[in-house]
Amino acid sequence: TPTPTPTPTPTPTPPPAPAASADVSTTALTFADTQVGVTSAVGTVVLRNMGDLGLTLAAPTVSGPFSAATNCSNSLGGGEECLVNITFTPPNYGPYSGTLAFATSAGNKLVQLSGTGLAADFRVTGTPANSITFPLTYAETTQATVLTLTVQNVGNVAGSMQLPPISGANPADFSATSDCAAIAAGQACSVTLS
């Protein structure tokens, strides 16, 4: 009679060692277009410890025209999370980028931040911006000398422009009119001086 072959006893798989695991709710946060000098609505990033061992961390850091407020302490227990509230305050018009960085005992996490500042920006083109010289004009002449300046909105939103008052030694000798009530981004208007 053949001797039966014994069935091998399976080797049990050891349970995984306890570990901390850092994760963020998003890797990129884009803010809505925001007027220059105005603070945006809050965007929130959540840092989670996905493991079962305690996680240590440094204070989150941000770069660029972004600010952070957080309830994160220097540690997170297994399964715990904390929040970072980010705002965007553009100092000028155009696109901006930055980062939110977490340094933890389970590795570093980085969130890309971006937003665009909105503003109109008026520039005088085709003539020195700080000095305008009229040609020789005789006193008491009935024919006014007229100069025309072009003003362009080089910003990224429409805007309106009011003419500044004329000042100096003889302000009453000069006058200015314009069609610059509303200028779309990239468009120009005229200022007539006499």
Side-chain angles (χ1 to χ4, degrees):
T1 301
T3 302
T5 303
T7 302
T9 302
T11 302
T13 302
S21 176
D23 191 28
V24 288
S25 56
T26 182
T27 57
L29 189 60
T30 300
F31 289 85
D33 294 349
T34 304
Q35 291 286 336
V36 167
V38 174
T39 298
S40 70
V42 172
T44 300
V45 177
V46 181
L47 175 68
R48 297 184 180 93
N49 181 358
M50 306 298 289
D52 47 16
L53 193 66
L55 178 76
T56 59
L57 61 148
T61 59
V62 291
S63 66
F66 302 92
S67 300
T70 181
N71 67 352
C72 295
S73 64
N74 58 3
S75 65
L76 280 179
E80 292 183 344
E81 63 183 32
C82 63
L83 308 178
V84 180
N85 290 327
I86 308 292
T87 55
F88 169 50
T89 309
N92 208 333
Y93 64 89
Y96 287 91
S97 61
T99 57
L100 166 66
F102 296 94
T104 82
S105 57
N108 298 335
K109 294 294 179 180
L110 200 64
V111 179
Q112 300 294 330
L113 308 174
S114 61
T116 297
L118 299 179
D121 185 9
F122 301 110
R123 306 286 178 91
V124 176
T125 61
T127 187
N130 59 354
S131 177
I132 300 170
T133 301
F134 283 82
L136 178 64
T137 304
Y138 292 101
E140 306 303 330
T141 182
T142 58
Q143 182 65 43
T145 301
V146 176
L147 295 179
T148 299
L149 305 179
T150 299
V151 178
Q152 185 169 14
N153 180 2
V154 298
N156 54 9
V157 291
S160 59
M161 186 189 77
Q162 291 185 339
L163 289 176
I166 297 174
S167 61
N170 305 101
D173 292 344
F174 302 90
S175 64
T177 59
S178 80
D179 60 357
C180 299
I183 317 171
Q187 299 300 307
C189 65
S190 298
V191 176
T192 301
L193 303 174
S194 60

